[in-house]
Amino acid sequence: MGQPWSSLRVAGVALDVPEQLAPSQERAIEGGAAVLEGAGIRLTVDASPFADPLTRYTAKPGYEHWQENVGSATADFVSFEEEGIRTLAANFPGRATAVVHLSPGAERDTALQILRSIRTDQGESND
């Protein structure tokens, strides 16, 4: 994981991402949502009170759920695999959800590092 990282802001939510991730052709950074892709990773961020609560994936193969303190908030994390794609996601209830899809060979640790970098302080400015 020696690649350079940069900070990304989406509607008051900040997170760190590998520099290889770039806005997706289909949907870049707009309002409270962003989609970035690169290096076998697809990251989707929804910074809204109606973001996916991650409660509908319990039947997915390899499903795991846990909670972690991230910054000043408690986040719900899920992980599962479907059709060769590993998905890791974090939900900050009423604030934001970030989902990382990993192609085979992409590092799970990189996805966790992205999700654990999320900062949801209400006082952050919108860029």
Side-chain angles (χ1 to χ4, degrees):
M1 289 193 306
Q3 75 262 18
W5 288 65
S6 60
S7 187
L8 169 71
R9 279 192 193 275
V10 180
V13 172
L15 64 158
D16 298 326
V17 298
E19 285 188 357
Q20 305 101 296
L21 294 184
S24 168
Q25 297 279 337
E26 72 182 50
R27 188 169 173 199
I29 301 168
E30 54 187 55
V35 179
L36 291 92
E37 296 179 306
I41 298 172
R42 179 180 173 95
L43 168 66
T44 304
V45 179
D46 180 357
S48 77
F50 307 106
D52 184 351
L54 306 176
T55 56
R56 61 188 163 132
Y57 304 105
T58 57
K60 299 288 185 185
Y63 175 83
E64 298 175 62
H65 171 263
W66 70 97
Q67 289 187 323
E68 289 187 24
N69 289 325
V70 179
S72 60
T74 299
D76 286 297
F77 281 74
V78 300
S79 175
F80 58 89
E81 188 166 332
E82 189 170 50
E83 298 178 14
I85 303 294
R86 167 65 57 189
T87 299
L88 288 103
N91 172 257
F92 295 81
R95 190 76 180 105
T97 295
V99 179
V100 181
H101 299 285
L102 300 172
S103 298
E107 292 289 326
R108 177 183 166 109
D109 288 346
T110 301
L112 288 171
Q113 189 173 346
I114 292 168
L115 297 173
R116 290 173 175 153
S117 76
I118 296 173
R119 299 169 301 280
T120 61
D121 295 334
Q122 297 281 351
E124 289 185 19
S125 65
N126 252 349
D127 285 319

